[in-house]
Amino acid sequence: MCISTGEAAFSGTILYCGRQHHRAHGLVHVLGYQNTAVNLAGGPNAMLLHLPTRQLTPRHFLSAGRADDILHRMVAAVEQGAATDDGMAWMSAEPQPVQVFDHDVYTVLLADDPTAVPAALWQVPPHRRPDLDPDLLRFYADHFPDHTIAVCCFDNADAQRAKPLLMWYAPLDPDRLTVPALDSHTGKAPDLDATVPVDHWVLFSTDQAPSGWGAPVVYPGDMRHRLRAFLPTAVVGRHYRHGQTLPNGDFTISHRDLLAGDLDRIERLRPTRR
């Protein structure tokens, strides 16, 4: 469950979005993303994530370090009481042009304008350099003009060693938590009218929740303070099981509904052409 630049199979996806007041950065959202990837492209591949922020740089990416089970710990915290959903509501919905850097097993390209990405691909090592369909990049430019696009390039050996992707950012809408979940594993633009299979957890948190809200998360005792400052004390979540299908789209919930713990208010968000 994501968009890839070549054929791939993704399973066991964990998506997390938290709303947090950080001492140094103010009100931010923190995104977590992890899955098991099987690269079927026969060469380099990449995952594409659209992030609801206009400001994303390499410094916004957090290293998991030795705590590479962070998202699995969140799942463990909510697994006993989380509901399984059978349906989903709908909702319509002078810097460098492309920043290129290495993070964990990925070479990441960040772009406000996705159509600028091909000109920067020469900076990606050949063993990770994917073929990009221009129509896929045009899809992002047309449907997510206010977002930052992250192209996370990997090769066959990298796919099995990836730690969770963690990043923080100033969100476009602080009071709506959204995780990218559009689905297309063929290298082509996603079919927005399609029904797609799911196999993932969707997790949310807020540091404004009242006492007793959510399930407390237990972290490793030796976790670095810089990372811990971005992570929640408690989370809520819902499991969308293997074999289930949903309309193609992202997941989103309002902060008000999250505070109320009303996970039935999680909606499936389909982008519209701008």
Side-chain angles (χ1 to χ4, degrees), residues 66-88:
R66 290 176 292 180
D68 56 4
D69 62 346
I70 291 172
L71 297 184
H72 288 281
R73 285 173 178 263
M74 293 184 186
V75 167
V78 301
E79 195 162 19
Q80 295 301 318
T84 297
D85 191 75
D86 295 321
M88 184 62 57

Side-chain angles (χ1 to χ4, degrees), residues 22 161 189 233 241 255:
H22 190 274
R161 298 186 295 108
T233 57
R241 297 186 185 279
H255 188 238

Side-chain angles (χ1 to χ4, degrees), residues 160 228 250:
Q160 301 301 320
R228 181 64 185 87
D250 297 331

